[in-house]
Amino acid sequence: QVQLVESGGGLVQAGGSLRLACAASDRTFSNYNIGWFRQAPGKEREFVGLVGVADTTKYADSVRGRVTISRDNAKNTGYLEMNNLKIEDTAVYYCAATQGWTTRNDQYDYWGQGTQVTVSS
């Protein structure tokens, strides 16, 4: 079982940047595709992007061009970098692990606890 812990959230001004990290508990991290999701108050959890075991990536249309997802298997860690942040990016951000290639959150097996990102004007 893979345990995931997100970090790097916080308060940032609109137009700013942030990098979130997703640290895994062991080396099996490299066998999983790592997805990032977010959930704003009163809204459903939505797909942000994912990075595959071979570093292929896929992004939601809403963030494409502003977000870069990567991974460092040597550190058992995934990353989500966000630029030109907007107020509507405010949400709890989660990383998750799956052995499939999917944007559906119900197809991810392991989840972190989430980290809050708040974008202010």
Side-chain angles (χ1 to χ4, degrees):
Q1 186 171 354
V2 178
Q3 295 181 331
L4 304 172
V5 178
E6 301 95 337
S7 61
L11 177 64
V12 63
Q13 286 192 324
S17 300
L18 206 62
R19 188 173 84 155
L20 306 181
C22 172
S25 55
D26 57 53
R27 291 180 296 175
T28 58
F29 170 83
S30 63
N31 298 331
Y32 290 90
N33 299 320
I34 301 299
W36 287 90
F37 295 80
R38 65 185 181 184
Q39 189 165 18
K43 295 187 177 181
E44 293 186 354
R45 191 169 298 188
E46 67 170 351
F47 170 77
V48 176
L50 76 152
V51 57
V53 296
D55 288 329
T56 51
T57 54
K58 181 179 179 66
Y59 298 101
D61 290 341
S62 60
V63 301
R64 187 175 289 113
R66 299 191 296 121
V67 167
T68 301
I69 293 176
S70 60
R71 65 192 300 159
D72 184 340
N73 290 336
K75 296 181 178 180
N76 298 330
T77 302
Y79 301 98
L80 170 64
E81 295 188 58
M82 297 184 292
N83 301 308
N84 190 22
L85 282 160
K86 304 176 181 181
I87 291 176
E88 53 264 40
D89 292 320
T90 295
V92 177
Y93 283 73
Y94 299 89
C95 66
T98 181
Q99 292 188 315
W101 183 255
T102 180
T103 64
R104 291 179 51 174
N105 58 18
D106 63 347
Q107 294 182 352
Y108 281 74
D109 301 306
Y110 306 106
W111 289 82
Q113 83 290 349
T115 186
Q116 176 71 47
V117 172
T118 302
V119 183
S120 64
S121 58

